[in-house]
Amino acid sequence: MDKPKVVLGVSGGIAAYKACELLRRLTESGHDVRVVPTEASLHFVGAATWSALSGNPVSAEVWESVHEVPHVRIGQAADLVVVAPATADMLARAAHGLADDLLTNTLLTARCPVIFAPAMHTEMWEHPATQENVATLRRRGAVVVEPAVGRLTGVDTGKGRLPDPDEIFEVCRRVLARGVTRPDLAGRHVVISAGGTREPLDPVRYLGNRSSGKQGYALARTAVARGARVTLIEANTGLPDPAGADVVRAGTAVQLREAVLKAAADADVVVMAAAVADFRPAVYAEGKIKKKDGQEPAAVELVRNPDILAEISAERRGRPGQVVVGFAAETDNVLANGRDKLRRKGCDLLVVNEVGERKTFGSEENEAVVLDADGGETPVPYGPKEALADTVWDLVTRRLD
């Protein structure tokens, strides 16, 4: 079988060195990669490095190997074009259809999915001109991965850091697997909660659950690959941030509620995949609760936590037609309990799965049934959590459309 043909465009930013790791991931996973650098990027990483790592010739010029018409052929033959890093200048040239070097020519001739992974200083990313260029590229069907927050060049810190190459690779893999040129969640804002809340009992103890957050992260990664703007509200996962997602940290159910309500204000979709504690201790002990010889421990009084899913479903604070998706972890009478929960919560879709000591929690796989408020049932067989995530987004897009 022919290897998938990937064009890796590299523009002139300090983050160009990170693209070497992305190139390694692509080649080692069986992709035929052609690196197309800009002239400016060669000040950071030389052509010899790109050629040695990819096994293919490297040039930034349209005037080399003219008989092969590289400025047309490279884009025509590609199954995917990914530009990482994409500087503010590159985004501007791509948005305005310029063709003054080999990479911009390749972008104009590509009829395959195109991914941009921006990297620049925060002020440049937030500038209205850059934001308008990003919006233009997204309207045309490109996937523009939101930059990460972290250390930039010098002493600067903020949004604009190139996401981890492993995470960019995951976006590339998912876009290639779908084989769809135009992402179906483009222009949509989705909010996803993931992980498990922890309710403190004293400074060292808490009430919690065994949710790993992996299903929520799979939902986030697949949504990014399908073109969405993603806000991921994570609770105690310890997982690496998915490329392209704005990540908000929350610890308790009350904190998670606050974050979800704020993010949902302009969301098209809210997916409550986090395991939110139903109860919390009524009293928080300021000091560690001590074990005393000869005495039984005092009973822990619990109070109810807010029902975030029911609140979001009832108020629909986001855009008109906002879709709300819930998750239900059940140990018995799975479908019956799921149907009852769907009715009580008032959400549009409810993902129901059976859980237990050796089921679902912490696993890379999942099995579930997606219940529809209209009465439908969509079983999802045991398999990778991203497969379940794609099924959820398929059902969501039908409602949005």
Side-chain angles (χ1 to χ4, degrees):
M1 295 179 62
D2 291 336
K3 295 181 178 180
K5 293 180 173 58
V6 177
V7 174
L8 173 58
V10 184
S11 54
I14 188 64
Y17 77 93
K18 294 184 179 180
C20 295
E21 180 63 19
L22 175 59
L23 172 58
R24 185 188 68 81
R25 290 299 309 273
L26 288 165
T27 54
E28 289 186 356
S29 57
H31 300 85
D32 180 10
V33 186
R34 176 77 178 263
V35 180
V36 181
T38 65
E39 189 66 36
S41 76
L42 295 176
H43 289 284
F44 298 96
V45 181
T49 299
W50 298 124
S51 182
L53 291 176
S54 68
N56 284 316
V58 171
S59 175
E61 298 291 339
V62 296
W63 304 111
E64 293 185 14
S65 302
V66 175
H67 65 288
E68 297 177 359
V69 202
H71 71 290
V72 173
R73 296 290 180 258
I74 294 174
Q76 285 179 334
D79 297 304
L80 175 71
V81 177
V82 53
V83 183
T87 60
D89 177 71
M90 173 52 62
L91 295 174
R93 289 194 289 150
H96 288 81
L98 301 185
D100 54 355
D101 63 7
L102 188 57
L103 179 53
T104 49
N105 274 270
T106 298
L107 289 168
L108 283 179
T109 57
R111 293 297 179 265
C112 59
V114 177
I115 301 170
F116 292 92
M120 63 198 74
H121 270 73
T122 306
E123 294 83 359
M124 299 175 75
W125 171 253
E126 293 177 347
H127 194 283
T130 303
Q131 290 302 303
E132 183 59 34
N133 291 331
V134 168
T136 297
L137 292 168
R138 284 173 170 161
R139 282 196 301 270
R140 293 175 184 162
V143 173
V144 182
V145 178
E146 292 280 319
V149 176
R151 181 72 178 271
L152 306 173
T153 55
V155 298
D156 294 335
T157 299
K159 188 169 186 177
R161 181 182 177 90
L162 186 73
D164 186 274
D166 284 347
E167 291 294 330
I168 299 175
F169 169 75
E170 288 301 318
V171 176
C172 295
R173 185 178 66 80
R174 286 173 169 85
V175 170
L176 274 169
R178 282 184 54 76
V180 177
T181 302
R182 186 170 183 84
D184 56 1
L185 287 174
R188 303 292 190 178
H189 177 207
V190 304
V191 175
I192 303 162
S193 69
T197 61
R198 295 177 179 177
E199 311 302 320
L201 178 62
D202 64 21
V204 297
R205 301 181 181 92
Y206 60 84
L207 299 180
N209 58 68
R210 299 177 58 226
S211 177
S212 66
K214 291 181 178 180
Q215 184 63 68
Y217 274 61
L219 284 155
R221 291 188 176 101
T222 50
V224 168
R226 294 171 76 146
R229 176 167 69 92
V230 177
T231 300
L232 175 65
I233 301 168
E234 73 89 31
N236 310 298
T237 65
L239 299 173
D241 293 350
D246 287 322
V247 181
V248 179
R249 315 289 178 193
T252 67
V254 171
Q255 293 168 349
L256 188 78
R257 173 186 177 272
E258 180 181 351
V260 168
L261 293 180
K262 181 179 179 180
D266 68 342
D268 298 285
V269 187
V270 179
V271 181
M272 290 295 300
V276 181
D278 293 323
F279 309 98
R280 67 181 184 274
V283 177
Y284 173 74
E286 296 294 338
K288 179 182 176 182
I289 300 172
K290 299 290 187 178
K291 178 175 64 176
K292 297 180 181 179
D293 292 340
Q295 294 185 17
E296 291 298 318
V300 176
E301 182 184 356
L302 301 177
V303 295
R304 283 186 178 274
N305 271 324
D307 192 328
I308 307 171
L309 178 57
E311 185 175 355
I312 287 287
S313 299
E315 298 189 10
R316 307 282 172 146
R317 298 188 177 199
R319 297 172 180 173
Q322 184 182 73
V323 178
V324 177
V325 182
F327 272 68
E330 301 290 345
T331 57
D332 52 58
N333 300 320
V334 175
L335 289 182
N337 289 338
R339 276 288 172 202
D340 180 62
K341 184 172 183 177
L342 178 62
R343 177 187 56 79
R344 288 186 289 105
K345 303 295 185 181
C347 51
D348 301 292
L349 300 169
L350 188 73
V351 183
V352 185
N353 55 307
E354 185 176 358
V355 297
E357 186 175 347
R358 299 183 182 276
K359 294 181 179 179
T360 301
F361 288 131
S363 171
E364 302 297 334
E365 291 78 30
N366 204 349
E367 180 180 7
V369 176
V370 185
L371 303 179
D372 192 303
D374 298 327
E377 294 183 5
T378 304
V380 182
Y382 186 78
K385 287 185 174 178
E386 68 180 63
L388 173 58
D390 270 323
T391 298
V392 171
W393 293 127
D394 289 343
L395 296 170
V396 165
T397 54
R398 292 176 196 171
R399 284 185 167 270
L400 291 172
D401 293 339

